[in-house]
Amino acid sequence: MSLLAWWLKADALTQLAALVLLAMSVMGWVVILWKARQLRRASADLPRCLAAFWQAPDLAAAAQSLEHFDREALVLPMVVAANSVATQTADGSLATAGARAQRLTRALRDALHGVLTRLQWGQVLLATAGATAPFVGLLGTVWGIHHALRVLAQTSSAQVTLAQLAGPVGEALVMTAAGLAVAIPAVLAYNGFGRVLARIEAELEGFALDLRELLADGGRGASAPAASAETAHSNF
């Protein structure tokens, strides 16, 4: 039976389940392709960004250098946030109150959270598709079997043969296969992206800690001894 013939024979609930699975599949593959490109660029850019930062003479030069390497804005937001704290003057507000280390912690934490939130976008959609698509397909199968049995019960034949039953049941099982076809790529992509995100997150957290320790003593990066920068880089 062709797809069009199956669609015309299906009832409203089966068609709705099929449309939901189609929407999940399209959105899932869009997210998979987009995140694969994003994380590939991030994995390639992060080592170069860290090397460019530690080779820069000060924060301003580091930010300017990172503009050429940091295509996914992984390190640059934290450098900009740290530079804003380093050049900040007290104006009597709570934003400038407290020790430099406290203000650096707050600024770097907010910048890091923004980067990680952007990197993790799409993971919830993949997890949702992977968890719910099989059940949507199963719902379509159960309802399709129920619909097929009800139609067979209304036939004038006194006895239903196996051939009459196998066709509608087999068509209903297509929904289960469709649900699995949507869920399996989403789950595999979610797990694969999760491993890459965990590695990138650990590296960014280490860099944020090193940057805070570098600037917490009052230095702005330009006059910090080279040995201190190398020590912080080795700790990362």
Side-chain angles (χ1 to χ4, degrees), residues 149-226:
L149 293 177
R150 187 176 59 184
V151 171
L152 290 175
Q154 296 174 354
T155 60
S156 58
S157 176
Q159 186 175 6
V160 177
T161 64
L162 182 60
Q164 290 176 309
L165 185 62
V169 172
E171 294 168 7
L173 290 174
V174 172
M175 292 296 296
T176 298
L180 293 175
V182 173
I184 291 174
V187 171
L188 293 177
Y190 175 83
N191 291 332
F193 293 155
R195 288 193 297 269
V196 178
L197 285 170
R199 177 178 56 80
I200 293 176
E201 180 178 352
E203 293 182 3
L204 290 177
E205 288 178 350
F207 172 75
L209 178 61
D210 291 343
L211 183 57
R212 179 190 178 279
E213 292 178 351
L214 179 66
L215 303 176
D217 59 355
R220 293 179 54 183
S223 60

Side-chain angles (χ1 to χ4, degrees), residues 16-192:
L16 177 61
L19 289 176
V20 170
L21 289 177
L22 178 62
M24 284 185 177
S25 179
V26 171
M27 290 188 295
W29 278 107
V30 169
V31 171
I32 288 172
L33 296 176
W34 179 77
K35 285 200 69 67
R37 177 180 178 272
Q38 179 195 43
L39 295 181
R40 184 177 66 251
R41 284 159 55 105
S43 298
D45 290 350
L46 186 55
R48 292 183 293 180
C49 290
L50 296 178
F53 173 83
W54 293 113
Q55 292 172 4
D58 53 39
L59 289 179
Q64 185 176 4
S65 177
L66 287 174
E67 293 178 355
H68 304 287
F69 297 103
D70 201 358
R71 294 176 294 179
E72 294 297 331
L74 303 175
V75 179
L76 184 58
M78 288 187 284
V79 174
V80 172
N83 192 37
S84 66
V85 173
T87 58
Q88 196 175 53
T89 57
D91 57 3
S93 65
L94 291 176
T96 59
R100 176 190 289 265
Q102 296 173 337
R103 288 182 282 124
L104 277 171
T105 299
R106 182 170 62 249
L108 290 174
R109 180 193 61 213
D110 293 342
L112 180 60
H113 285 176
V115 172
L116 295 180
T117 299
R118 180 161 36 82
L119 286 176
Q120 292 170 355
W121 186 91
Q123 287 291 90
V124 173
L125 190 147
L126 293 178
T128 302
T132 60
F135 295 102
V136 174
L138 183 60
L139 173 63
T141 295
V142 172
W143 185 258
I145 292 175
H146 167 73
H147 178 70
L149 293 177
R150 187 176 59 184
V151 171
L152 290 175
Q154 296 174 354
T155 60
S156 58
S157 176
Q159 186 175 6
V160 177
T161 64
L162 182 60
Q164 290 176 309
L165 185 62
V169 172
E171 294 168 7
L173 290 174
V174 172
M175 292 296 296
T176 298
L180 293 175
V182 173
I184 291 174
V187 171
L188 293 177
Y190 175 83
N191 291 332

